[in-house]
């Protein structure tokens, strides 16, 4: 709450404008308004706008931009909320791993106050939402594989782990830099369970991830295929 309050005082005018936030919002605009694709700030050499397969983050920021009636505080507030959620999910994951509570809280606060991360969410970038999804995936992996949940709950947790992982990739490409973290969590907790249970959790993760990707791509497949084929 303190972090939200402090940043909220200046989100609307500092920084004045950031190239990244303009480009991210524009990625969302070309998806939200297909009838207006005759111009773009993200222009290709063949005279068409850039369309990304991981379009959800840009679409989310475009919606925030419209809800704030074209004011920069909308996308920046969205990114700030994503950063707070990332801090909260990191805290939950660390506590699930039985880290000392005071160290878990300190780690989550340091993430939120990190200067580079602060610059990211104040500039309306999407790393906060990506981090939140990745930490949630790790949390769900830990819950599903270590026996913290059993039976149907474990299967649901494994599915959510895959869904969050896919959602992170669909939000922004920076999710790729955190894939080693997910792999490390899976291998680490996998050493404490049977190979059969581990294979079952991995299969459910893959199925859930594919389902999320298909749910995001099928409605816009014609648009994506025409862009990717070039």
């Amino acid at each position: 709450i303190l972090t939200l309050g402090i940043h909220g005082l200046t989100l609307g005018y500092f920084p004045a404008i950031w190239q990244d936030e303009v480009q991210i919002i524009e990625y969302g605009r070309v998806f939200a308004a297909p009838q207006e694709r005759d111009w773009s700030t993200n222009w290709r050499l063949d005279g068409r706008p850039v369309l990304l397969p991981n379009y959800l983050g840009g679409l989310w920021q475009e919606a925030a931009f419209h809800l704030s009636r074209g004011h920069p505080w909308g996308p920046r507030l969205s990114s700030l909320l994503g950063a707070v959620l990332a801090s909260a999910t990191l805290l939950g994951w660390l506590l699930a791993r039985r880290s000392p509570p005071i160290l878990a809280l300190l780690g989550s606060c340091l993430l939120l106050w990190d200067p580079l991360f602060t610059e990211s969410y104040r500039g309306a970038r999407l790393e906060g939402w990506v981090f939140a999804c990745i930490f949630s995936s790790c949390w769900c992996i830990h819950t599903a594989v270590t026996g913290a949940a059993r039976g149907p709950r474990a299967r649901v947790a494994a599915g959510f782990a895959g869904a969050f992982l896919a959602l992170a990739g669909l939000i922004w490409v920076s999710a790729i830099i955190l894939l080693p973290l997910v792999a490390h969590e899976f291998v680490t907790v996998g050493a404490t369970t049977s190979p059969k249970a581990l294979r079952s959790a991995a299969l459910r993760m893959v199925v859930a991830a594919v389902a999320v990707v298909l749910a995001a791509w099928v409605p816009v497949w014609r648009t994506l295929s025409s862009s990717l084929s070039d």
Side-chain angles (χ1 to χ4, degrees), residues 70-147:
H71 200 281
W73 67 259
R76 294 174 185 180
L77 179 60
S78 165
S79 295
L80 176 56
L81 292 175
V84 172
L85 184 60
S87 178
T89 52
L90 176 60
L91 175 62
W93 175 41
L94 292 176
L95 290 176
R97 290 177 60 91
R98 300 187 182 278
S99 299
I102 187 64
L103 294 182
L105 178 61
L106 179 61
S108 66
C109 289
L110 288 176
L111 172 69
L112 189 60
W113 298 335
D114 177 80
L116 290 177
F117 195 43
T118 301
E119 181 183 35
S120 170
Y121 60 71
R122 286 192 63 89
R125 287 183 59 87
L126 293 159
E127 276 73 21
W129 292 105
V130 170
F131 282 22
C133 289
I134 292 293
F135 294 148
S136 297
S137 180
C138 291
W139 191 356
C140 289
I141 290 172
H142 189 276
T143 301
V145 178
T146 60

Side-chain angles (χ1 to χ4, degrees), residues 9-228:
L9 295 174
T10 56
L11 273 182
Y13 60 87
F14 184 80
I17 193 169
W18 217 34
Q19 179 180 347
D20 286 10
E21 68 180 319
V22 174
Q23 288 184 308
I24 290 170
I25 293 169
E26 177 65 5
Y27 287 135
R29 185 195 68 81
V30 295
F31 262 96
Q35 71 280 7
E36 298 180 9
R37 291 177 183 164
D38 54 345
W39 67 274
S40 176
T41 57
N42 301 321
W43 205 243
R44 294 168 23 149
L45 292 177
D46 60 358
R48 290 191 293 171
V50 176
L51 300 173
L52 297 180
N54 48 339
Y55 67 92
L56 291 185
L59 203 60
W60 178 260
Q61 294 298 75
E62 166 71 0
F65 186 66
H66 274 281
L67 288 174
S68 62
R69 299 181 182 274
H71 200 281
W73 67 259
R76 294 174 185 180
L77 179 60
S78 165
S79 295
L80 176 56
L81 292 175
V84 172
L85 184 60
S87 178
T89 52
L90 176 60
L91 175 62
W93 175 41
L94 292 176
L95 290 176
R97 290 177 60 91
R98 300 187 182 278
S99 299
I102 187 64
L103 294 182
L105 178 61
L106 179 61
S108 66
C109 289
L110 288 176
L111 172 69
L112 189 60
W113 298 335
D114 177 80
L116 290 177
F117 195 43
T118 301
E119 181 183 35
S120 170
Y121 60 71
R122 286 192 63 89
R125 287 183 59 87
L126 293 159
E127 276 73 21
W129 292 105
V130 170
F131 282 22
C133 289
I134 292 293
F135 294 148
S136 297
S137 180
C138 291
W139 191 356
C140 289
I141 290 172
H142 189 276
T143 301
V145 178
T146 60
R150 298 184 182 277
R153 288 184 59 195
R155 292 191 288 271
V156 170
F160 271 110
F164 280 125
L165 184 60
L167 187 59
L170 289 166
I171 290 175
W172 198 241
V173 69
S174 57
I176 195 171
I177 67 175
L178 290 177
L179 289 181
L181 179 65
V182 179
H184 178 268
E185 179 68 10
F186 192 81
V187 171
T188 302
V189 299
T192 65
T193 189
S194 67
K196 181 179 179 181
L198 195 62
R199 287 195 299 269
S200 176
L203 178 61
R204 287 185 172 84
M205 285 180 62
V206 170
V207 170
V210 170
V212 170
V213 171
L214 290 178
W217 281 357
V218 167
V220 295
W221 181 248
R222 181 175 298 179
T223 299
L224 287 177
S225 60
S226 63
S227 177
L228 294 176

